[in-house]
Amino acid sequence: MSVDKDTVRRIAKLARLAVPQARLEPMAGELNGIFKWVEMLGEVNVEGVPGMTSVVAQKLKWRKDEVTEGGNADALMANAPGGEEHFFTVPKVVE
Amino acid sequence: MSRTIKGQTGEWEIVIGMEVHAQVTSNSKLFSGASTEFGAEPNSQVSFIDAGMPGMLPVINEKCIEQAVRTGLGLKAQINLNSVFDRKNYFFPDLPQGYQISQYKSPIVGEGEILLDMKDETITVGIERIHLEQDAGKSLHDQDPDNSFVDLNRSGVALMEIVSKPHMRSSEEAAAFLKKLRAIVRYLGTCDGNMDEGSMRADVNVSVCRVGGYEKFRADGSFKHLGTRCEIKNVNSMRFVQMAVEYEARRQVEILEEGGTIDQETRRYDSKANETRSMRSKEDAHDYRYFPDPDLLPLELEQAWVDAIAKSLPELPDEKRARFIAGGLSPYDASVLVAERELADFYEELAQGVDAKAAANWLNNEILGRLKRDGLSITDVPVSAAANNAIIQMVADQTISGKIAKDLLDIVWTEGGDPRAVVEARGLRQVTDTGAIDAAIEAVIAANPAKVEEVKAKPKLAAWFVGQVMKQTGGKANPAAVNAALKARLNLPDEG
Amino acid sequence: MSELTSMTLAEARDALAAKKVSSRELTGAFVQAIEAARPLGAFITETAEKALAMADASDTRRATGATGALEGLPLAIKDLFCTKGTRTTAASKMLGNFVPPYESTVTQNLWNAGAVMLGKTNLDEFAMGSSNETSAFGPVFNPWRARNSNANLVPGGSSGGSSAAIAADLCLAATGTDTGGSIRQPAAVTGTVGLKPTYGRCSRWGIVAFASSLDQAGPMTKTVKDAAILLTSMASVDPRDSTSVDLAVPDYEKLMAGSIKGLRVGIPKEYRLDGMAADVAALWDKAAGWLKDQGAEIVEVSLPHTKYALPTYYIVAPAEASSNLARYDGVRFGYRADKPHDITDLYERSRGEGFGAEVQRRILIGTYVLSAGYYDAYYSRAQKLRTLIKRDFDAAFEKCDVLLTPSTPGPAFAVGAKTSDPLEMYLQDVFTVTVNLAGLPGISVPGGLSENGLPLGLQLIGKAFDEATLLRAAHAVETAADFKAKPNKWWTA
């Protein structure tokens, strides 16, 4: 499987990354090198092998249903670019 | 109720499925400790976790797990003791993490069913699955010409996504499904079902096919017998669900009849224009790149824990309805009463020790009408079920007449007070004393000699006399006793 | 002054306890050293004022007898740990001005123990790299230079700033994070000690996430004993991290004591790569001999899936990273591109301008391997490989108690030497990634010098949550290696 610059453009779009035109072809080359290398995983017989769904052998911890956070809009907004009062602002979105 | 649409080239069947997003009733969010209360100041109920800040991690709320299981049990569904949380990756300003924690391949609840009591039949609508997921924040697009504003209060609130099988065949069934589902979750206390607050939203899938296609689909499960479906997103009232389905079905039939094809797409219902419109953007269909969330571990439930929840379930609408019918109510009356738990509870208290039907009639005819007139709901009723029960009892044991009972209700409705005490204080007791009745009859006869002659010729006019006697006694005479005494006095023949 | 800064953590602890020096004096010495060592580029943010204030507070506490486990000890913090009120950048333009309103669990543990923060150390951007050359705040230079050479060398990565700071005596110790080797590899090439604990031992809460199922915070120090001391304070059971394991934290300093007589040391044969550098191979063999001399039993073991570990890592890590980094979108914090004309432009340019090339490359790899049609062939398959790699270790640990391997294929290399081909850089982690994939603890200890006079490290790998045995074995290697060499100070402000 190899990627061309159109694929790079498509993946970049999915990842919301602006990749300059000039970088598309070189990036495709770099990615192809990496994907070619990982192809070797295809050699391994993984039949019947479960994926590692959790690294730790432990049950998921459950939290009590209590309100313990929130109520600090100032701290929340402190790093926000151009926040309007207590709203986060983005260019108008058309849904 | 129409299950087919008549087009120009023939008849078409409608097939409907629904995905309902129901906000879980809990104090805090699914993976953070921020509050879930509705209507707070913007961004005042947001944990750093909900805001997707660097280094933040999710920890699951035990109550939300319980509520999902409870809902599953209420829908007679399979509870999956092992399930997995997956990330659904996409970009949108109200999705701070850039992914939603949801469940993709292994949801917490499997197949179940909901029964719909339609006018002529009971329909079973299959439930495909229920899973838990995070709700997104809210964007406001109309506050400013150039910008949209984002409020993350809702970001991270637990949602149950309840997915039906495509077993609904008409817009009425679609509305009935949503109504029943809402009743069930309200009975269970797992979701408040307040559609106007956004606690419950429906994505409705609609397709049409030639008559016969649906039967084939039910027989072999193959979707090739059905038409291409469109999804109408975020419909937030039952009325709109019905209207949206009707519009969309018609739209699809028109296209197909002109020889066109239906594009599988997402649409939005515009209630002002009563139409659905395509939401499709120029970009590719979403590739969500689901993968198991590595910040969480698989969710494991103990069977004993699930069983304990099952034991704690309240009586649900279907069971309550069956019990009411067994107690003497008509299926229709029973259905009306169980639609809201508060109404059913009110009814049960109202019907203590009195005839079931009489109680149902009193509720339907007297109480509901007055509530509607005053813009109140059953939870705000000014006269308690116990007080109403007393009124019904007094009618049953002849203490007061039916007419006086209505007047009595009006009195305690506006002025309060104990009905029995009011009856005594205002002398509303029914008059059954034959002496008083005879005296009243004499008075009416004496004042209306001409009518006496008329009634002998036309015995049916006796009703006029009864009315006069009732007036004479201030409405308190027992009508049956008046009737009997009058007939005797005027020598009227007994009518069968 | 340099007597103060050249102490180990344990020595400083004793000196403070004996009131031979105050935290204020000690901290002051390091503050000066850091200022003078700016050409190394080890720090992104120096917090001199805060450090001195914390030192003073510590001295006050000590006067009342209230001392914590790390009382008054000045430490450097990798700029991936969110520190409340102090800029935390992850070495990225994306977080160039981000001031966290919260403190990471690990660093909070350190402050609770009385430690002092000297500053935030440099790293590869978003912890992605093995040479600290991808930082948006400039590269870090290794305090070590090759014999007869003036070429600047890399300090390893991603925790290059921490490793350089320790090697140059700019702090007593530092925190690092390790996802594929980012503590152990820089420790190895700077002649210092670096420990990656078992996955789940230290909390990840408040650490800028790279790859959630692989990331682990750990101590970077001058000695193995120091690593044990620092780990004991860093580690905790954290209810805010669902992957934090419910095991009480023991006193690792106490537990590491004792001889290694009878310890079974496994030598995995697949780690002997074709064309392995002679000095690396020789050191590895020598180390086996050291342990044998101290009473250990040397056992050959096999980890058959070793060669698949690196490609597996380069599917799993980028995949998780592509999702973890989706939150950096210019909306709620971080870099926002100028005058975006719509939301898509806001996302694309903020991320395109805010992220460096390596980060972008990994996001693209990750997005691709998770995308429709490729998930099964790549990510799903890689997760199965992880299971097989873990099983290899489980089988090996039936026959031994720890494993001994080289830490890296070679010593520090020149800045710019491996930046033309990403794959060449990735190969730096060939001995370390297996450990992250299996979630096991691993440590790098300085073993000796390469042919050109640069430090080489030896890695020990332990059983899950058996840091005690790991530290004991590492101490044995350290004792035998007796690595006393220090870099010649070529840097001045």
Side-chain angles (χ1 to χ4, degrees):
Chain A
M1 173 271 308
S2 76
V3 301
D4 56 13
K5 67 180 208 283
D6 286 329
T7 309
V8 176
R9 192 183 293 119
R10 184 173 59 82
I11 299 294
K13 198 94 189 141
L14 256 186
R16 296 297 187 275
L17 272 181
V19 178
Q21 269 293 111
R23 276 286 295 153
L24 287 175
E25 197 77 63
M27 182 64 90
E30 285 160 21
L31 294 178
N32 273 327
I34 294 164
F35 291 135
K36 203 166 164 61
W37 173 59
V38 303
E39 294 282 330
M40 76 162 90
L41 295 184
E43 295 166 13
V44 184
N45 180 6
V46 294
E47 182 131 2
V49 180
M52 188 180 261
T53 50
S54 59
V55 184
V56 294
Q58 179 171 269
K59 276 187 75 174
L60 181 63
K61 287 181 271 197
W62 296 6
R63 175 177 54 87
K64 278 200 173 5
D65 183 29
E66 289 165 349
V67 176
T68 53
E69 308 174 276
N72 195 349
D74 287 334
L76 192 73
M77 308 293 303
N79 286 281
E84 183 74 31
E85 294 186 352
H86 279 162
F87 280 109
F88 295 105
T89 315
V90 295
K92 179 82 91 164
V93 177
V94 179
E95 284 193 77
Chain B
M1 175 186 64
S2 166
R3 280 236 181 105
T4 60
I5 294 181
K6 210 174 180 70
Q8 295 200 336
T9 65
E11 294 208 318
W12 299 82
E13 294 184 308
I14 316 171
V15 180
I16 303 154
M18 224 182 281
E19 286 160 21
V20 178
H21 291 91
Q23 273 186 6
V24 173
T25 299
S26 65
N27 295 323
S28 62
K29 298 181 179 179
L30 182 54
F31 292 111
S32 84
S35 168
T36 58
E37 264 194 59
F38 181 79
E41 284 296 300
N43 288 308
S44 65
Q45 288 176 181
V46 184
S47 143
F48 298 131
I49 300 167
D50 306 321
M53 306 281 280
M56 291 297 97
L57 298 171
V59 183
I60 197 166
N61 180 339
E62 64 182 9
K63 178 83 184 179
C64 299
I65 303 170
E66 195 190 313
Q67 296 287 57
V69 169
R70 180 171 265 122
T71 304
L73 292 169
L75 298 181
K76 306 196 196 66
Q78 153 103 359
I79 306 300
N80 295 324
L81 298 181
N82 293 299
S83 62
V84 176
F85 286 98
D86 300 296
R87 291 190 186 177
K88 179 179 182 181
N89 298 281
Y90 66 95
F91 287 88
F92 206 74
D94 64 11
L95 193 70
Q97 291 159 139
Y99 58 85
Q100 174 198 39
I101 303 179
S102 177
Q103 296 188 296
Y104 182 51
K105 290 196 181 141
S106 305
I108 185 171
V109 175
E111 293 184 329
E113 63 182 27
I114 289 190
L115 299 177
L116 306 183
D117 301 308
M118 307 304 292
K119 260 198 210 92
D120 308 320
E121 52 183 328
T122 296
I123 297 168
T124 304
V125 175
I127 297 294
E128 182 70 49
R129 53 181 268 163
I130 304 177
H131 70 255
L132 280 167
E133 62 181 26
Q134 293 176 307
D135 205 346
K138 273 205 195 121
S139 306
L140 290 101
H141 305 297
D142 51 5
Q143 307 284 307
D144 182 290
D146 301 314
N147 295 304
S148 292
F149 295 152
V150 182
D151 171 14
L152 296 179
N153 279 350
R154 204 181 61 178
S155 163
V157 170
L159 289 178
M160 292 178 289
E161 182 171 320
I162 301 162
V163 183
S164 84
K165 295 195 187 224
H167 290 175
M168 289 163 266
R169 316 283 308 286
S170 70
S171 63
E172 288 90 351
E173 284 175 27
F177 173 84
L178 198 51
K179 188 167 182 214
K180 185 68 178 285
L181 177 60
R182 180 177 178 276
I184 293 173
V185 296
R186 282 168 63 89
Y187 265 68
L188 292 168
T190 58
C191 171
D192 64 22
N194 291 340
M195 296 189 78
D196 51 355
E197 287 177 359
S199 304
M200 240 170 109
R201 291 130 33 196
D203 293 341
V204 188
N205 292 300
V206 181
S207 71
V208 296
C209 60
R210 287 287 185 191
V211 174
Y214 185 73
E215 289 306 313
K216 292 197 188 117
F217 161 70
R218 289 304 295 261
D220 67 12
S222 168
F223 280 86
K224 70 174 195 277
H225 303 300
L226 300 181
T228 304
R229 68 174 190 270
C230 288
E231 183 186 27
I232 310 168
K233 281 199 89 64
N234 276 334
V235 189
N236 63 357
S237 91
M238 290 184 223
R239 204 173 119 252
F240 292 164
V241 164
Q242 202 162 338
M243 289 163 71
V245 166
E246 279 163 18
Y247 174 88
E248 180 61 19
R250 232 159 247 302
R251 182 190 78 88
Q252 293 188 14
V253 164
E254 272 171 32
I255 291 174
L256 291 170
E257 293 210 311
E258 277 165 27
T261 51
I262 306 296
D263 295 324
Q264 180 169 354
E265 59 181 3
T266 307
R267 300 177 72 85
R268 181 145 274 174
Y269 178 66
D270 178 342
S271 55
K272 289 198 191 73
N274 188 23
E275 61 183 26
T276 64
R277 276 203 298 279
S278 176
M279 279 175 75
R280 187 180 38 182
S281 64
K282 290 180 213 120
E283 293 174 30
D284 293 358
H286 286 292
D287 179 352
Y288 293 120
R289 290 158 279 134
Y290 287 98
F291 71 103
D293 193 329
D295 287 330
L296 295 167
L297 306 171
L299 181 63
E300 292 167 40
L301 308 178
E302 304 273 312
Q303 187 62 54
W305 183 76
V306 173
D307 293 342
I309 296 174
K311 281 208 183 69
S312 77
L313 292 187
E315 187 185 45
L316 292 175
D318 290 342
E319 295 151 346
K320 205 181 279 285
R321 179 176 176 272
R323 187 161 60 77
F324 285 179
I325 291 171
L329 291 187
S330 71
Y332 177 75
D333 280 350
S335 289
V336 169
L337 289 176
V338 304
E340 289 283 341
R341 186 175 178 176
E342 291 81 8
L343 192 61
D345 290 346
F346 186 92
Y347 168 72
E348 291 220 71
E349 213 190 324
L350 181 69
Q352 290 282 333
V354 299
D355 174 61
K357 192 80 178 126
N361 287 341
W362 184 257
L363 178 54
N364 285 331
N365 299 337
E366 304 306 325
I367 299 177
L368 293 183
R370 283 174 176 76
L371 286 174
K372 191 165 180 175
R373 175 196 72 196
D374 295 350
L376 299 172
S377 71
I378 193 68
T379 44
D380 309 314
V381 66
V383 182
S384 72
N388 277 287
N389 177 272
I391 299 178
I392 297 173
Q393 284 201 30
M394 286 192 278
V395 172
D397 64 25
Q398 308 271 29
T399 304
I400 56 175
S401 69
K403 176 167 186 328
I404 291 294
K406 293 177 198 192
D407 295 341
L408 176 59
L409 181 59
D410 282 330
I411 294 169
V412 295
W413 190 276
T414 44
E415 298 174 23
D418 167 39
R420 288 189 193 277
V422 171
V423 164
E424 294 310 321
R426 302 200 194 194
L428 299 176
R429 271 182 175 275
Q430 193 161 232
V431 173
T432 47
D433 166 25
T434 45
I437 288 177
D438 289 343
I441 288 175
E442 291 308 322
V444 172
I445 286 175
N448 300 280
K451 284 277 195 230
V452 173
E453 291 307 314
E454 280 179 45
V455 78
K456 286 196 171 142
K458 260 192 181 171
K460 283 200 173 98
L461 288 176
W464 181 89
F465 271 92
V466 172
Q468 291 304 301
V469 173
M470 293 299 289
K471 254 204 213 151
Q472 186 78 8
T473 60
K476 286 182 272 185
N478 180 321
V482 168
N483 226 334
L486 196 61
K487 283 203 178 67
R489 175 67 181 74
L490 298 175
N491 289 316
L492 297 174
D494 254 333
E495 275 138 56
Chain C
M1 194 61 75
S2 67
E3 310 90 59
L4 290 180
T5 59
S6 59
M7 282 196 284
T8 67
L9 189 76
E11 286 165 353
R13 185 182 59 177
D14 292 342
L16 284 168
K19 305 230 164 53
K20 288 206 180 109
V21 69
S22 69
S23 179
R24 172 34 100 131
E25 286 174 85
L26 188 56
T27 302
F30 280 116
V31 167
Q32 278 189 29
I34 289 169
E35 247 175 80
R38 284 186 184 145
L40 286 177
F43 284 83
I44 291 177
T45 301
E46 297 168 19
T47 55
E49 239 181 80
K50 189 177 171 74
L52 293 168
M54 288 172 88
D56 287 340
S58 174
D59 287 332
T60 305
R61 279 194 298 274
R62 191 180 292 275
T64 70
T67 53
L70 300 175
E71 197 59 56
L73 298 169
L75 305 174
I77 306 297
K78 181 177 185 178
D79 204 14
L80 202 63
F81 293 78
C82 287
T83 42
K84 188 173 181 177
T86 300
R87 179 177 72 155
T88 299
T89 68
S92 180
K93 191 170 164 186
M94 182 58 84
L95 290 175
N97 293 312
F98 177 65
V99 180
Y102 47 85
E103 186 84 34
S104 77
T105 299
V106 167
T107 50
Q108 187 62 58
N109 290 344
L110 298 176
W111 316 144
N112 291 346
V116 170
M117 177 164 79
L118 290 167
K120 309 300 292 298
T121 56
N122 207 343
L123 60 149
D124 276 303
E125 189 184 3
F126 278 100
M128 299 181 195
S130 308
S131 64
N132 217 138
E133 293 176 278
T134 65
S135 167
F137 294 83
V140 178
F141 299 126
N142 196 327
W144 289 84
R145 277 183 171 166
R147 199 176 296 119
N148 303 323
S149 167
N150 279 340
N152 282 326
L153 304 181
V154 301
S158 63
S159 312
S162 287
S163 62
I166 297 161
D169 286 334
L170 306 182
C171 59
L172 287 175
T175 62
T177 63
D178 190 315
T179 304
S182 292
I183 284 177
R184 292 161 288 151
Q185 183 257 13
V189 304
T190 52
T192 58
V193 174
L195 167 64
K196 183 202 87 69
T198 313
Y199 182 86
R201 175 72 283 180
C202 289
S203 168
R204 291 185 301 112
W205 197 91
I207 300 176
V208 178
F210 162 15
S212 313
S213 74
L214 300 165
D215 293 345
Q216 187 59 199
M220 300 181 74
T221 57
K222 299 181 189 182
T223 66
V224 174
K225 182 175 181 176
D226 286 356
I229 296 169
L230 191 49
L231 177 64
T232 304
S233 287
M234 285 175 74
S236 61
V237 180
D238 191 358
R240 294 184 297 185
D241 175 355
S242 297
T243 59
S244 166
V245 175
D246 260 331
L247 278 176
V249 181
D251 184 337
Y252 288 112
E253 188 185 356
K254 282 208 177 75
L255 285 187
M256 65 176 272
S259 91
I260 57 161
K261 215 170 167 139
L263 186 76
R264 298 169 303 163
V265 177
I267 310 290
K269 66 179 202 252
E270 291 83 1
Y271 277 57
R272 198 165 297 268
L273 301 177
D274 286 336
M276 176 177 267
D279 46 7
V280 172
L283 178 63
W284 188 14
D285 293 335
K286 199 155 44 139
W290 292 336
L291 294 173
K292 193 162 178 204
D293 291 342
Q294 293 181 58
E297 187 195 324
I298 308 301
V299 184
E300 191 189 68
V301 296
S302 173
L303 298 171
H305 295 92
T306 296
K307 77 178 204 213
Y308 301 111
L310 209 49
T312 298
Y313 174 81
Y314 277 99
I315 290 174
V316 175
E320 294 182 7
S322 70
S323 181
N324 283 333
L325 269 60
R327 63 190 60 199
Y328 302 106
D329 55 13
V331 175
R332 300 165 311 291
F333 55 86
Y335 178 81
R336 176 183 278 217
D338 204 31
K339 297 192 184 60
H341 50 84
D342 60 27
I343 187 74
T344 302
D345 186 43
L346 171 67
Y347 287 148
E348 291 183 346
R349 273 200 297 128
S350 298
R351 292 161 62 78
E353 292 165 19
F355 290 137
E358 182 60 36
V359 170
Q360 292 196 26
R361 190 167 19 243
R362 298 209 194 183
I363 290 175
L364 291 176
I365 294 171
T367 305
Y368 190 76
V369 303
L370 288 175
S371 69
Y374 297 106
Y375 179 87
D376 286 332
Y378 292 99
Y379 189 78
S380 182
R381 178 168 274 265
Q383 287 289 70
K384 296 177 190 216
L385 256 304
R386 272 187 92 166
T387 300
L388 291 174
I389 289 165
K390 175 83 182 6
R391 285 182 185 171
D392 282 357
F393 278 104
D394 291 342
F397 281 128
E398 304 266 310
K399 299 202 187 123
C400 64
D401 307 305
V402 294
L403 297 161
L404 174 70
T405 79
S407 300
T408 60
F413 45 89
V415 168
K418 294 189 194 288
T419 49
S420 53
D421 178 8
L423 269 182
E424 226 200 312
M425 188 67 79
Y426 295 166
L427 288 168
Q428 283 302 298
D429 294 329
V430 68
F431 298 133
T432 49
V433 293
T434 48
V435 184
N436 303 81
L437 291 169
L440 299 171
I443 188 171
S444 179
V445 177
L449 292 175
S450 69
E451 272 159 11
N452 53 357
L454 292 170
L456 288 173
L458 290 158
Q459 176 179 236
L460 288 148
I461 304 168
K463 294 183 194 168
F465 295 99
D466 193 13
E467 280 82 356
T469 305
L470 187 67
L471 288 160
R472 192 176 319 128
H475 183 62
V477 170
E478 179 186 57
T479 308
D482 197 28
F483 184 87
K484 291 270 195 294
K486 295 279 275 187
N488 292 325
K489 196 169 170 183
W490 56 265
W491 62 90
T492 41

